[in-house]
């Protein structure tokens, strides 16, 4: 098993994604959707849980790898005593079925290459029956079917419950493998040309990346982050998953292992803002439309996350046959936090829809009626304790960030009515609600002795989410309480020059043992807050170090361990890449707008 999360690169077709290691092995792939069962689950187990490795015989890890500029097409190069080869990996945008294309090309000499494919459906638990048909190796088990072919054809054989091939390429010679999934009860989908798929994928990605308006410093990192967000988008609906994986640990060997293959409302405003500011209005509109469909219904039933098509039932289950990445168990699918009450999501939804309206996205006839309904619920529910932004499992509290986001909801409702006189609503009532929430937060959520807002009413603990107070407009950046909060959070939650979310050493708060690494999104928020409070040079220095944490192909996980120097948590993480884009835009402003 690859030892580090950052050893992986991402390929995908905007409906699912695969992780490719430095050893040439695809160790994670869920088909046909992000949240489907994995057919390659070596990432969370071993080779017998499914993987597909293509590499020179007796080779260990590659010499170098990189995405082709402004694409999601991955080139991995190998150097051996006999010569050099390149393996190009991609998942072309599908018409009917998902395809994984792997093209082996000789660069020099004559190199013998081996392919080892072990398909294991349902997260490594089901071994398929494999047969030959029409020049393919066909694997079938229950509802799943996968077809493997090579162009030109190479000899394949079965051994040790896997499908193997071995062949030699000289300089300029190419062999392409195509693995295609489809429901086992349907006919095989039309074959794709792997070489045409490569050319069209490169052209499509470069055309998309060329729409980016940002031209400032760190542009390559910003574009790579935007491509990653696009890759984490479920194209049929516009939903954006938090990550491509489940159960990558926040601490190696620990139990903080969660399924992130769903769409979180907490990401909505920040994601929408990043897409709009970078010039991707079509994607922003698709995300906004997904949001409207997902939250439709009784406001009391609003969830913190949904499936990629807006599914609500995401029951959490453990998979005991998988030992977990680096022995981090349990491995979980589904996410029990879906049943939590988090009042902040009401603010995030209201803020997102307000931003969408202000940015000129076409409005929907029912959008304002839905917003009014959300506000009616908040008027009676805002005093409730909740589980908060970080989905703690130690019981509900009066989290300050949640109350600030209630204020955001009321503030955006008021401003919408003030700007759009054709709309109707309880303007005076929402103003009163906004003022009442503001007074309560400043009274009960602020520690005068230490000059800082706290994690929840009456506590001494801090929370990095409080760095968003000036960003959402709750208080101006030059307010002494804001400056004091930024300083206190940096001092108290600092970890190796970055930032933790909160003190996870107090298991009473989150109900879980063990700690975690520095949270990258929060560290980007710290850079934003430093800039807003007049410390731009410090902010830029922190941003530079954060960009430096990207792996060799520009990807970030959820967290970083500054002690061991390794990435932690699910990967790649949309929240981290949204943070990178937004902080670049914050720090370099109009200078970076194309």
């Amino acid at each position: 098993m690859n030892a580090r999360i950052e050893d992986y690169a991402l390929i995908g077709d905007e409906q699912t994604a695969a992780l490719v290691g430095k050893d040439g092995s695809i160790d994670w792939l869920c088909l046909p959707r992000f949240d489907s069962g994995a057919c390659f689950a070596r990432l969370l187990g071993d080779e017998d849980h499914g993987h597909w490795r293509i590499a020179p015989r007796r080779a260990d890890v590659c010499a170098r790898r990189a995405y082709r500029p402004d694409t999601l097409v991955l080139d991995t190069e190998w150097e051996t005593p006999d010569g050099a080869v390149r393996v190009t990996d991609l998942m072309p945008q599908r018409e009917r079925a998902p395809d994984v294309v792997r093209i082996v090309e000789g660069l020099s000499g004559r190199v013998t290459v081996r392919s080892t494919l072990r398909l294991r459906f349902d997260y490594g638990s089901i071994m398929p029956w494999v047969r030959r048909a029409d020049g393919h190796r066909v694997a079938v088990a229950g509802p799943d079917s996968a077809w493997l072919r090579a162009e030109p054809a190479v000899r394949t054989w079965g051994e040790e419950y896997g499908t193997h091939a071995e062949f030699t390429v000289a300089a300029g010679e190419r062999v392409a493998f195509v693995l295609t999934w489809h429901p086992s009860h349907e006919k095989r989908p039309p074959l794709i040309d792997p070489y045409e798929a490569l050319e069209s994928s490169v052209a499509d990605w470069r055309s998309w990346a060329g729409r980016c308006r940002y031209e400032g410093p760190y542009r390559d990192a910003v574009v790579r982050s935007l491509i990653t967000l696009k890759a984490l988008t479920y194209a049929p609906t516009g939903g954006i998953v938090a990550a491509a994986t489940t159960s990558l640990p926040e601490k190696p060997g620990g139990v903080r292992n969660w399924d992130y293959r769903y769409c979180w409302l907490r990401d909505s405003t920040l994601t929408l803002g990043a897409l709009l500011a970078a010039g991707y209005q079509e994607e922003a509109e698709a995300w906004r439309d997904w949001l409207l469909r997902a939250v439709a219904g009784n406001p009391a039933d609003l969830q913190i996350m949904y499936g990629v098509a807006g599914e609500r039932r995401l029951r959490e289950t453990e998979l005991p046959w998988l030992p977990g990445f680096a022995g981090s168990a349990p491995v979980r699918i589904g996410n029990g936090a879906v049943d939590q009450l988090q009042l902040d999501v009401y603010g995030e939804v209201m803020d997102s829809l307000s931003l969408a309206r202000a940015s000129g996205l076409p409005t929907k006839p029912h959008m304002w009626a839905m917003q009014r309904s959300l506000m009616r619920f908040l008027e009676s529910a805002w005093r409730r304790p909740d589980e908060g932004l970080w989905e703690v499992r130690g019981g509900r509290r009066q989290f300050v960030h949640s109350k600030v986001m209630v204020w955001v909801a009321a503030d955006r409702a008021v401003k919408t009515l003030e700007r759009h006189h054709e709309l109707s609503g309880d303007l005076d009532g929402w103003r009163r609600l906004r003022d009442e929430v503001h007074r309560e937060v400043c009274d009960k959520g602020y520690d005068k002795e230490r000059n800082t807002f706290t994690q929840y009413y009456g506590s001494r603990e801090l929370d990095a989410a409080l760095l968003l107070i000036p960003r959402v407009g709750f208080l101006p950046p030059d307010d002494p309480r804001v400056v004091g909060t930024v300083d206190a959070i940096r001092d108290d939650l600092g970890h190796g020059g970055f930032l933790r979310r909160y003190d996870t050493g107090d298991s009473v708060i989150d109900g879980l043992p063990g700690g975690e690494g520095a949270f990258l999104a929060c560290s980007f928020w710290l850079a934003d807050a430093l800039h807003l409070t007049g410390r731009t040079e410090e902010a830029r220095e922190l941003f530079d170090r954060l960009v430096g944490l990207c792996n060799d192909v520009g990807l970030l996980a959820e967290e970083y361990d500054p002690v061991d120097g390794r990435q932690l948590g699910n990967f790649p993480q949309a929240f981290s890449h949204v943070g990178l884009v937004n902080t670049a835009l914050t720090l370099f402003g109009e200078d970076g707008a194309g």
Side-chain angles (χ1 to χ4, degrees), residues 48-62:
D48 287 333
H49 294 113
H51 75 116
W52 183 13
R53 186 174 190 233
I54 296 181
R57 187 175 57 185
R58 291 188 292 273
D60 186 11
V61 296
C62 65

Side-chain angles (χ1 to χ4, degrees), residues 5-6 19 28 43-44 232 241-251 256-262 264 266 325 331-332 334-335 519-520 555-560 567-577:
I5 291 168
E6 57 265 33
L19 295 188
W28 183 254
L43 179 73
L44 303 176
L232 294 175
V241 297
T245 58
T246 180
S247 299
L248 289 182
E250 296 172 13
K251 181 179 181 181
R256 297 172 184 266
N257 317 315
W258 314 110
D259 193 347
Y260 276 19
R261 298 170 299 154
Y262 307 114
W264 264 257
R266 72 177 184 194
F325 186 93
V331 169
R332 298 179 174 96
N335 199 309
F519 202 82
L520 296 180
L555 302 181
L556 290 169
E558 181 181 33
E559 300 179 8
Y560 180 74
Q567 295 195 28
L568 298 171
N570 284 302
F571 177 87
Q573 179 81 3
F575 217 25
S576 298
H577 285 284

